[in-house]
Amino acid sequence: MSKRTSSAAFSSANEPSSKRTTTSGLSSYFPSLTGPPRPPAPLVSSDPLTDRQSTFIAHACPATNRTHAQTLQTHIRGLRTASHPCEMTHEMLAWRCLALKPGKSGLESEDDWRVETGQDDDGEKGGANVIRDVLAQEGGVDVAIVVSRLYGGVMLGPARFAHIRAVASQALARLLAAQRLSALRSQLSSLDEQIAAFSSSSAAAAGTTPAKSKQSTVDAYAALTEEKAQRLVAAREKRLELLEKKHREEEEALARADQAAREAERRGGAAAREEGTDENEAGTASPSLAGNGDEGNAEQAQPPTGPQDANGDGKDGVEDEDDEEALLREAEELARKEAEESQ
């Protein structure tokens, strides 16, 4: 460990915590404290190409502005890998991205946008033009490419441009494939979440515990190839389509059952109201009918008109008076006989 490193470590260890916190908080204002900025991910590379001791290799990444492109170039200059083991002779750069036209919002039409390009030969005259042409001809948008050349001491002539084109084209193809694969992984994750939601809903409706779903994150599909990811997406979409169809059928069945229940309830209420109306009408008519019956009975109980005797034999009043006179005469006759006998 150098004295400078030891001194830095010592001062950091003995520095008050408040000061250390303040220093770390300044990292956003002083990028050098956290290292040089890195280019946007993903960063892909071509295979190295060697011809007469000159080596060419390309790196590509997403870039939506000049800053992203220049950050890529700076990063590659300091890169040390097996294919980029040292400082290269040339780091040729080109980028192509969409940018809003002045005064445009980007929401009206495609005419709000324009294509911006930029390049840096870095000493290899004409090299950046080749990279720019690759971007334009092969559909590279919002992309930056750096082609590195390590000069081997032998001049290649026009062949160097073919090599620049070859490695730039390969790097661009790999970047576009990586972006497509990333989109497929995100799509798979989204489909898994939708399928899990349908499964949970069905399990809740059935009163069962949903099966434990597999990990549905982009990381779970990190090892997928683009071809396999496309097949999985197609399978997930088909499964989701079937689940959605089943869900619609279940909802329609529930709607029909609910409609039938409401209709039955409506009919039952109407029948009850009709029955209640009949009972009310019957109750209103009963007293009058009962009164009429009593009057009829009373009329039947009344004796027939005209004079009748006590026995109800139908003799008139004259005959009754004759009977009474006969009885009186009989009584007088008995009284007279008793008087004579007493004398």
Side-chain angles (χ1 to χ4, degrees):
M1 181 181 292
S2 65
K3 291 183 179 179
R4 182 175 181 180
T5 304
S6 300
S7 175
F10 178 80
S11 62
S12 176
N14 292 277
E15 192 176 41
S17 59
S18 60
K19 290 186 178 181
R20 290 200 300 271
T21 302
T22 303
T23 302
S24 62
L26 295 175
S27 60
S28 59
Y29 299 97
F30 299 97
S32 60
L33 295 177
T34 57
R38 297 181 62 84
L43 175 61
V44 301
S45 64
S46 69
D47 296 331
L49 189 158
T50 301
D51 180 16
R52 286 167 283 179
Q53 301 179 4
S54 285
T55 300
F56 299 83
I57 185 171
H59 291 82
C61 77
T64 58
N65 52 55
R66 176 192 296 267
T67 301
H68 288 160
Q70 292 175 339
T71 298
L72 173 64
Q73 188 181 43
T74 301
H75 177 75
I76 298 303
R77 281 198 176 107
L79 188 64
R80 298 295 179 265
T81 63
S83 57
H84 194 288
C86 60
E87 183 178 353
M88 300 298 227
T89 310
H90 307 287
E91 301 286 4
M92 297 160 275
L93 166 68
W95 69 90
R96 185 169 184 261
C97 58
L98 290 177
L100 280 173
K101 294 178 180 178
K104 298 294 184 179
S105 64
L107 302 176
E108 297 178 0
S109 67
E110 294 181 357
D111 293 336
D112 289 0
W113 300 86
R114 65 182 180 184
V115 176
E116 287 188 352
T117 61
Q119 60 194 65
D120 178 13
D121 286 329
D122 194 35
E124 184 69 85
K125 188 175 180 180
N129 286 337
V130 176
I131 304 172
R132 185 193 61 192
D133 291 343
V134 168
L135 288 170
Q137 294 166 6
E138 300 183 16
V141 179
D142 290 338
V143 176
I145 299 177
V146 169
V147 174
S148 308
R149 179 189 180 186
L150 181 62
Y151 180 61
V154 178
M155 299 183 67
L156 302 181
R160 68 187 188 277
F161 297 123
H163 299 332
I164 293 170
R165 175 179 292 276
V167 295
S169 179
Q170 187 181 59
L172 176 60
R174 289 180 177 178
L175 175 63
L176 297 179
Q179 290 176 327
R180 290 193 301 269
L181 183 55
S182 177
L184 288 170
R185 289 170 179 165
S186 298
Q187 188 177 1
L188 278 171
S189 179
S190 176
L191 289 169
D192 284 345
E193 291 176 359
Q194 295 178 63
I195 290 171
F198 273 111
S199 299
S200 299
S201 177
S202 299
T208 59
T209 302
K212 187 176 181 181
S213 60
K214 297 180 180 179
Q215 184 181 5
S216 58
T217 63
V218 176
D219 293 339
Y221 302 112
L224 285 180
T225 63
E226 183 178 354
E227 181 181 359
K228 187 173 182 180
Q230 288 174 343
R231 292 200 302 268
L232 283 176
V233 166
R236 295 288 196 280
E237 288 177 338
K238 184 64 176 178
R239 182 180 178 186
L240 183 60
E241 181 182 352
L242 294 175
L243 287 172
E244 289 176 342
K245 181 180 179 181
K246 181 180 178 181
H247 183 68
R248 286 195 302 270
E249 291 174 350
E250 290 175 350
E251 286 188 336
E252 290 172 358
L254 288 174
R256 288 193 298 269
D258 185 59
Q259 179 66 25
R262 288 199 301 268
E263 183 66 19
E265 183 179 358
R266 185 185 65 79
R267 291 178 179 176
R273 288 193 297 272
E274 183 177 352
E275 182 179 354
T277 302
D278 293 342
E279 290 178 354
N280 291 335
E281 291 177 353
T284 303
S286 295
S288 61
L289 292 175
N292 293 336
D294 293 341
E295 291 176 359
N297 293 334
E299 290 176 356
Q300 292 177 2
Q302 289 179 357
T305 58
Q308 293 184 354
D309 61 2
N311 296 326
D313 53 3
K315 293 181 179 180
D316 57 14
V318 175
E319 293 178 349
D320 291 340
E321 291 177 357
D322 292 343
D323 290 340
E324 290 178 0
E325 290 178 355
L327 290 174
L328 287 174
R329 285 193 300 269
E330 184 177 356
E332 290 176 354
E333 183 65 24
L334 289 174
R336 187 180 60 78
K337 287 180 178 182
E338 289 178 356
E340 289 178 351
E341 290 177 357
S342 62
Q343 291 177 358

